[in-house]
Amino acid sequence: MALNPMVIPAAIQSAIKKYVAEWNAGGPQDVAFDTAHLRLLLPHRIYRYMGEHRAGKADLGSVKPAGWRCFARTTQGNLVMLDAFEAEQHTGFRLHVGSMPERWLRVIRSARRNKRLAGGPYSMRTMVAPAVHLSCLWFSTSRGKHHFLAMEGDVAGVAARWMTRAEWRTTIADSTTRSAILWKQARTARRPRRHQGSAPPFLQESQLR
């Protein structure tokens, strides 16, 4: 069950080190990094699902690379999760602190021991679908099989659920459809109602005489 190693490009690594140095200068004092000995743990690609508006349909062709995710330790020994999003002109960052990074790492370690990934090397990615608030770990085996581990936050922490490719499609499609209905209802609720007659509804009867 070997995980294919991934190496963050040098330009992204440089941008991360610059971001971390800036964080040390202006971020919270309880989250600081040893920039001279910074280790980026378990680096892997982040993919973004781009087909949220295709109600009822979902496919891997709508998934595009968006950046990199890795873990790191602070000078206090706490684990953080760092996202680096690639854009044409710059690199954006998001830092996850608190208990979430530890929970994600535990799920990843447990997943790597799962029998679904037995039989050869595999690749791991994080996939996000922001418009429908879904995240998952996306594993691809050397035999061309895809496995999805949906990550859902709840009161107890992070709940993980294995899905097949077909189940992933159904989950995305159903969530997209529900989101489209809710957005439509929200837009309708915000529209002002039209009133009959020439007088505005807020005028009292005495004002019309």
Side-chain angles (χ1 to χ4, degrees), residues 48 56 78 86 88 121 134 148 153:
R48 186 188 185 283
N78 298 321
E86 299 168 282
E88 292 183 4
L134 292 176
F148 303 91

Side-chain angles (χ1 to χ4, degrees), residues 171-200:
T171 299
I172 291 289
D174 290 348
S175 298
T176 301
T177 301
R178 288 195 299 270
S179 295
I181 293 173
L182 292 174
W183 274 106
K184 184 177 180 180
Q185 292 175 343
R187 287 197 303 268
T188 302
R190 288 196 298 266
R191 291 174 183 170
R193 295 182 179 180
R194 294 184 178 180
H195 297 270
Q196 299 294 329
S198 57

